[in-house]
Amino acid sequence: MTNLNDFQKLIAIANEHGITCHAAPEECLIASLPGEDDFLLAFTWSGAVQGETAEHGLIAISVQDITKEITVAAWQIPTYLFSNVLRQAQMLVTAHKDFMLDKNNT
């Protein structure tokens, strides 16, 4: 996070989309994935889109499987696409759970 304003903006974006976050020491936000108690979302400010104004910043997102202590997915999106983040995270968690189930059944 480059400054407090960016961090506050990230909190506002998350809150605007119904994601209740908590600040972590690594200057990122941590949130539970709704309906998936064993998974966490982490958000941090990642920078700016090349050739665009600072308003078009990138947010880095990762989904963590707490019980297996692994990262399920990580990606970056521009701020204007943040509204899709919960749906994307839930789809990735579903795919991860299906993969782990198939892996354990073989």
Side-chain angles (χ1 to χ4, degrees):
M1 211 56 63
T2 57
N3 65 45
L4 185 60
N5 288 338
D6 285 343
F7 195 66
Q8 293 300 326
K9 182 179 175 184
L10 186 57
I11 291 170
I13 291 169
N15 288 338
E16 181 180 312
H17 291 92
I19 301 171
T20 304
C21 297
H22 305 281
E26 297 82 19
E27 295 188 342
C28 69
L29 298 175
I30 303 293
S32 296
L33 184 59
E36 298 288 353
D37 294 336
D38 293 336
F39 293 87
L40 287 179
L41 290 171
F43 309 97
T44 190
W45 204 256
S46 183
V49 176
Q50 186 175 356
E52 297 290 336
T53 65
E55 291 297 313
H56 292 87
L58 292 173
I59 298 172
I61 303 159
S62 67
V63 178
Q64 310 291 322
D65 183 331
I66 301 167
T67 58
K68 295 189 177 26
E69 297 181 350
I70 61 170
T71 299
V72 173
W75 68 102
Q76 292 185 86
I77 58 170
T79 55
Y80 60 87
L81 291 178
F82 193 82
S83 62
N84 297 322
V85 75
L86 281 179
R87 188 175 66 225
Q88 292 170 340
Q90 288 167 331
M91 289 179 355
L92 291 165
V93 165
T94 298
H96 167 72
K97 290 165 68 175
D98 289 347
F99 174 76
M100 295 307 287
L101 183 65
D102 287 345
K103 182 178 172 182
N104 291 333
N105 288 332
T106 57

